[in-house]
Amino acid sequence: MTEMEKSAQKWDGETGYITKAMLVKYLGDLTLPIYYIVGPPAMVTAMRKTLNEAGVDDDNIRTEEFSGY
């Protein structure tokens, strides 16, 4: 969750951008899951880069980009 100051609802979970450290905290070995990334093109690109740099193979990453919202 980002930009919590703009939210009308309380959020007790993680805040900020998804990082390798955050993923490792919850998933452990990042190379095991299949990842599904959906969102604006810049976010999808950034997440793919983060996962690739963490050793995740492109075969384990599925993406779909949505622009204009």
Side-chain angles (χ1 to χ4, degrees):
M1 181 68 74
T2 58
E3 299 183 12
M4 280 308 304
E5 65 279 0
K6 296 180 182 179
S7 177
Q9 297 182 6
K10 184 176 176 2
W11 174 258
D12 293 322
E14 293 280 356
T15 59
Y17 294 102
I18 299 170
T19 63
K20 177 183 175 184
M22 184 188 292
L23 292 170
V24 167
K25 178 180 175 180
Y26 292 101
L27 302 176
D29 186 350
L30 300 183
T31 63
L32 297 177
I34 302 291
Y35 296 88
Y36 295 87
I37 308 167
V38 179
M43 187 205 81
V44 170
T45 299
M47 280 305 310
R48 180 182 288 277
K49 181 178 183 226
T50 297
L51 291 170
N52 286 151
E53 289 174 352
V56 177
D57 189 274
D58 276 331
D59 289 341
N60 292 342
I61 303 172
R62 314 291 192 269
T63 63
E64 191 168 342
E65 297 177 1
F66 290 99
S67 300
Y69 62 94

